[in-house]
Amino acid sequence: MRHRIERGLLFVWPVLSLAIILVVIAALISLGPTLLQRVATEALIRLIVVIGLYVFIGNSGIISLGHVSFMAIGAYSSALMTIPPQMKKFVLDLPPFMTVLLLPAIPAAFIAAMVATLFAILIGIPLMRLSGIAASMGTFAFLAIVYVVISNWKAVTGGQSALIGLPVYTNIWVALIYAMFALILAFAYQHSRYGVRLRASRENEVAALATGINVRRERLIAFVVSAFIVSFGGVLHAHFIGVLSSSSFYLDVTFITLAMLVIGGMNSLAGAVIGTIVVSSLGELLRLMEVGVDLGTLHLAAPRGLREVGLSFLMLLILLFRPQGLTSGKEFFLPSRMTRRFLAGNTTSSTSCARSRSHRR
Amino acid sequence: MTFILQNIIDALSLGSLYALIALGIGLIFGIMRLMNFAHGELMMLGAYALFFTVGQPQAVMALIAIMFVVAIAIIMERVAFRPLRGANPATLLIASFALAYFIQHLVLLIFGARPKSVNFFFELSEFFVVGGLRIPKLQVATIVLTVLLLVGLVLFFRRSSIGMQMRAAAEDFEMARLVGVRANTVIAIAFSLSGALAAVVSLLYVIQTGTLSPGMGISLVLVAFVATVIGGMGSLVGAAVGGMIVGVLTVALQAVLPIELRPYRDAAVFALLIGFLLVRPQGLLKGRAAKERV
């Protein structure tokens, strides 16, 4: 019995440790000023998107530049189900049943995620037929399609003008709960047979094909799971700001989320979390520098745009000098001394031992 | 009849422009497996070079812009991409994305976001009038220039020693190095050529629109990326053909779509292209780079 608990702990430690880090940070910040809480909430929303990105990019090794479109689809779908009907009648031109539709927050969030997932299946089938880099270009084209449609479809999305009237319910705790959900789902996927097969194809596609792995199918599964997770990021974003505009779902978010994943290390879940924490903190620091400080009559401020320049420079440095990211693509494991003690005297532990070693690579 | 002819000329000139961009990207991709996002920023920098040399004779402006962009392209290779040589294509893609973002926001930081206007070769926006047809001189110039550049490139790749070395490197980089092709030289020349092509595109773009802004490169690059995928990745002829197809398709949709659907033109172009990839995932011409070698 003791062994079972210990082995269980050993197994879930990589995700448990990340969850503990996030809960501790969120709890500390929730005691702080409101502005800091908003920054942390935004960071947690980004984290959901980055975890979603990791599920596809980290496990398949293919860069997706299009996942932000699932964020957009999730956000707008949820908006259409939660904006009060009288307001919808006023700003949009929807079919009658959509106009009167009003759902509570959580069902709307899950239905919105389902809509995004459906899109992921439809677009994933052709895109996953492409080889790695061509698939990246295809996802980029998809991002552009969704952006163009959302910016112009006045009847449904409000077009160029922002869509207003969304109920605002995302706070730091709501974001934290969804982030936990994303973390657990990503971890479960990573340890499922699908995740293992896909990572095999990431390491060596030809060898994976030769051992009978249907690489296209595994990629599609990861694509769909990751789109599901990412769409929740969009939903939470929508109900955090309360206003939607198409420009908030294009290249800037694509860049920042990708930067978070790359800086943290795109081959591990720990990388996704650490990258988001580091980039969010640094981004906030640079933003504060842009706001500047008053020294008597003197106002010192860094030029605007410093945040983007700083972050892209950091990303380049990481790629040049530490291409596996801050975490080197490793998960957090218990210190090896503890691991050994847990496993000592347990003769049936060879499988779990082999398993943990293979993840350490 | 006039309507059709007018559209055909529009299509050819837009296709030429896209073909030039796709060629600049395909050239680098063939040798390094690098999908260069920063190609768009090269075009943007070319336009800024024009903006800051206003007042000089126009030929001098053009020459300075081309030399400046080529220099930036070479520096880019030396500083950002040489240390990453041999990294997998995904890493290279992200690196070029980060570099593009860096350059774009640096320009934004220094010169501001407001679009600027330049008067450059304004006389080219006049028309030839043939029958009922009004042909902008610029379109003719674009098509002629593209044809000349294509012929020049073909001659360069077929006849010159360095051109042949570049083809060899695109075929199999390791093998080419083993038989004495100098990697650094070949890649530096590929980047200079790509930079020169980017500069030519930015000249044509500025003549046509008269404006420039930090974000102008990225949308052009997006189209060209799709063009290279359509053409077959790693094939230069494919890139040119792909660019032409995307240009023709864009103009055709513009002409055919009812007015309320026109804003969706670009979405429709991309959607058709993704649809095309369902039928032919390897692109029109199968490039050597399409599949990893074992």
Side-chain angles (χ1 to χ4, degrees), chain A residues 129 140 153 252 304 315, chain B residues 94 101-102 109 222 264 278:
Chain A
R129 287 163 58 95
F140 198 30
W153 201 2
D252 284 338
R304 283 181 58 102
M315 190 167 159
Chain B
I94 308 179
Y101 207 78
F102 177 71
L109 190 85
L222 172 54
Y264 301 108
L278 250 179

Side-chain angles (χ1 to χ4, degrees), chain A residues 61 63 65 126 129-131 133-134 137 140 144-145 148 152-153 251-252 255 262 304-306 308-309 312 315-316 319-320, chain B residues 29 37 80 84 89-90 93-95 98 101-102 105-106 109 218 222 225 229 233 263-264 267 270-271 277-278 281 290:
Chain A
I63 306 298
L65 299 165
R129 287 163 58 95
L130 302 179
S131 70
I133 207 89
M137 298 298 107
F140 198 30
I145 294 176
V148 169
N152 290 295
W153 201 2
L251 293 171
D252 284 338
F255 173 78
V262 169
R304 283 181 58 102
L306 184 71
E308 286 78 8
V309 172
S312 47
M315 190 167 159
L316 276 173
L319 284 169
L320 290 181
Chain B
F29 184 82
F37 263 96
L84 285 175
L93 177 75
I94 308 179
Y101 207 78
F102 177 71
H105 282 85
L106 200 62
L109 190 85
I218 198 80
L222 172 54
F225 275 174
V229 177
M233 307 196 64
Y264 301 108
F270 289 132
L277 291 174
L278 250 179

Side-chain angles (χ1 to χ4, degrees), chain A residues 46 62 97 108 186 332:
Chain A
R46 291 267 162 81
I62 296 171
F97 79 97
F332 293 150

Side-chain angles (χ1 to χ4, degrees), chain A residues 20 49 86 118 157 173 214 275 279 356:
Chain A
I20 292 171
V49 178
Q86 34 312 15
L118 193 68
T157 65
W173 298 115
N214 186 343
V279 171
S356 69

Side-chain angles (χ1 to χ4, degrees), chain A residues 46-316:
Chain A
R46 291 267 162 81
L47 176 66
I48 297 170
V49 178
V50 177
I51 290 174
L53 270 179
Y54 159 75
V55 167
F56 181 69
I57 298 181
N59 290 308
S60 74
I62 296 171
I63 306 298
S64 165
L65 299 165
H67 268 70
V68 167
S69 41
F70 300 120
M71 231 185 132
I73 294 170
Y76 278 93
S77 308
S78 174
L80 290 180
M81 290 181 279
T82 54
I83 296 179
Q86 34 312 15
M87 196 176 268
K88 267 194 277 192
K89 204 157 56 187
F90 190 61
V91 288
L92 301 175
D93 184 17
L94 297 166
F97 79 97
M98 279 301 291
T99 312
V100 296
L101 186 66
L102 183 64
L103 290 178
I106 293 176
F110 276 84
I111 294 175
M114 283 302 154
V115 174
T117 308
L118 193 68
F119 271 95
I121 295 170
L122 289 178
I123 196 68
I125 291 171
L127 286 185
M128 293 307 116
R129 287 163 58 95
L130 302 179
S131 70
I133 207 89
S136 305
M137 298 298 107
T139 57
F140 198 30
F142 180 62
L143 178 71
I145 294 176
V146 171
Y147 175 69
V148 169
V149 170
I150 285 179
S151 324
N152 290 295
W153 201 2
K154 273 198 87 63
V156 174
T157 65
Q160 298 291 345
S161 50
L163 189 57
I164 53 168
L166 284 77
V168 175
Y169 64 74
T170 309
N171 59 29
I172 190 165
W173 298 115
V174 172
L176 183 69
I177 290 169
Y178 278 98
M180 291 295 147
F181 168 70
L183 205 59
I184 293 167
L185 187 56
F187 186 70
Y189 171 79
Q190 172 170 323
H191 278 275
S192 71
R193 68 187 77 174
Y194 311 106
V196 174
R197 284 188 204 136
L198 187 60
R199 277 204 305 287
S201 81
R202 176 191 78 193
E203 295 304 318
N204 191 333
E205 188 176 338
V206 176
L209 284 168
T211 49
I213 293 174
N214 186 343
V215 174
R216 269 185 203 167
R217 201 189 66 183
E218 301 304 337
R219 280 179 185 165
L220 182 61
I221 293 170
F223 193 72
V224 171
V225 172
S226 78
F228 178 73
I229 297 176
V230 166
S231 65
F232 279 106
V235 172
L236 290 188
H237 172 85
H239 297 284
F240 176 57
I241 311 285
V243 178
L244 283 180
S245 65
S246 58
S247 61
S248 53
F249 299 106
Y250 201 40
L251 293 171
D252 284 338
V253 196
T254 304
F255 173 78
I256 200 104
T257 47
L258 207 56
M260 286 169 169
L261 187 58
V262 169
I263 287 171
M266 63 180 183
N267 286 352
S268 72
L269 194 53
V273 176
I274 298 301
T276 309
I277 294 174
V278 168
V279 171
S280 297
S281 320
L282 195 73
E284 183 58 16
L285 215 62
L286 290 170
R287 196 190 61 80
L288 287 176
M289 282 169 71
E290 285 176 23
V291 172
V293 285
D294 283 311
L295 296 172
T297 52
L298 192 67
H299 181 72
L300 280 181
R304 283 181 58 102
L306 184 71
R307 185 154 61 139
E308 286 78 8
V309 172
L311 287 180
S312 47
F313 190 65
L314 175 67
M315 190 167 159
L316 276 173

Side-chain angles (χ1 to χ4, degrees), chain B residues 133-151:
Chain B
L133 206 60
R134 285 154 56 86
I135 310 168
K137 288 185 178 171
L138 176 63
Q139 294 196 338
V140 180
T142 305
I143 297 170
V144 171
L145 197 60
T146 305
V147 171
L148 287 179
L149 281 172
L150 283 180
V151 171

